[in-house]
Amino acid sequence: VREDIVTPAVKLQQAVNKKAKSITVELQLIENHLQQQEDFVEAEKERVKREKERLEQERVTNRSRKLISIGLVYDGVNYSYGEGESYNSISTSDIKSFDDSAFDTFVGKAEVFKKAEEAARKERERIKREEAEALAKRERELKEREEALAKKERELKEKQEADAKAETERLLRQAEEIRKQKLAEEAA
């Protein structure tokens, strides 16, 4: 009698255990699949985060290169241009936080300033070059005048020497004639 009562219970327990085991296997497969999906989602989130960081770093680097390329000076904290009242700067944190419009406005102002600065530098160089050329021309003209004056002085000296020599020769001839006349008068 006991066997009749226990046997169906044992069979029921075995059937429940078998069903539980098959459910556990199925749940384990589902949990493994869900874990893989979750791992994939987490890995994708991390990849997207790294990609955003890379793109942000690239954006900041490109902005920094742009500022350097137009001639701004980096002092370790700020990129700046100008002096006194025309001084303007942008910090590295502003480079990151400015939207494209604000950054482009800053860059536009910097480019205008740097172009004006470059134009002023070129104008100063042009004026300096013209002044140097004018000075060189005046020096050449002065040298030419000095050479012409020296040539006239040489020519005048040579003429004076030639005139003095001719006068000396004339006086010597005249003295010789006078001496000859006196000799002729004395002989007569």
Side-chain angles (χ1 to χ4, degrees):
V1 172
R2 184 170 181 251
E3 216 178 277
D4 290 338
I5 296 175
V6 172
T7 302
V10 170
K11 285 184 181 184
L12 180 62
Q13 184 181 12
Q14 287 175 348
V16 167
N17 285 344
K18 185 177 178 183
K19 187 65 173 172
K21 193 172 188 176
S22 76
I23 290 172
T24 304
V25 169
E26 286 179 27
L27 282 177
Q28 188 63 44
L29 290 173
I30 291 170
E31 283 179 0
N32 288 345
H33 176 72
L34 290 176
Q35 185 63 49
Q36 287 174 350
Q37 292 296 319
E38 185 179 348
D39 292 348
F40 175 79
V41 168
E42 289 301 316
E44 187 61 17
K45 283 181 183 177
E46 186 61 30
R47 187 195 66 75
V48 167
K49 179 183 172 189
R50 283 192 314 271
E51 181 65 12
K52 281 182 181 178
E53 290 171 353
R54 185 191 67 76
L55 290 173
E56 177 62 14
Q57 183 59 42
E58 187 175 295
R59 183 178 76 95
V60 170
T61 299
N62 288 340
R63 284 183 170 190
S64 297
R65 285 182 181 150
K66 175 69 174 174
L67 296 173
I68 293 294
S69 75
I70 59 177
L72 273 68
V73 176
Y74 183 61
D75 64 7
V77 177
N78 296 311
Y79 292 85
S80 62
Y81 65 89
E83 294 176 357
E85 291 185 20
S86 64
Y87 177 83
N88 203 350
S89 69
I90 185 171
S91 69
T92 51
S93 63
D94 288 341
I95 290 173
K96 291 177 185 177
S97 66
F98 276 16
D99 64 17
D100 288 343
S101 176
F103 181 75
D104 291 344
T105 298
F106 179 83
V107 167
K109 288 178 182 178
E111 286 176 328
V112 167
F113 177 84
K114 294 306 273 182
K115 284 178 183 174
E117 188 178 59
E118 180 65 14
R121 183 190 64 76
K122 285 181 179 179
E123 180 64 13
R124 286 190 303 272
E125 286 178 358
R126 183 191 64 78
I127 290 169
K128 187 177 179 180
R129 188 174 50 253
E130 286 178 358
E131 288 174 348
E133 289 171 358
L135 179 61
K137 182 180 177 184
R138 283 191 293 263
E139 287 175 351
R140 281 191 309 273
E141 289 172 351
L142 181 59
K143 185 177 178 182
E144 288 171 1
R145 286 185 197 146
E146 287 174 352
E147 289 172 355
L149 182 59
K151 182 179 177 183
K152 284 183 181 180
E153 286 177 357
R154 279 192 313 273
E155 288 173 352
L156 181 60
K157 185 177 178 183
E158 288 171 0
K159 186 177 182 308
Q160 287 174 344
E161 287 174 356
D163 288 349
K165 184 178 176 182
E167 182 64 20
T168 302
E169 288 175 359
R170 185 187 67 75
L171 289 174
L172 285 174
R173 280 192 308 272
Q174 192 177 23
E176 182 62 29
E177 285 179 19
I178 292 173
R179 185 182 67 78
K180 284 182 184 178
Q181 280 180 351
K182 278 188 181 181
L183 281 176
E185 285 176 6
E186 284 178 12

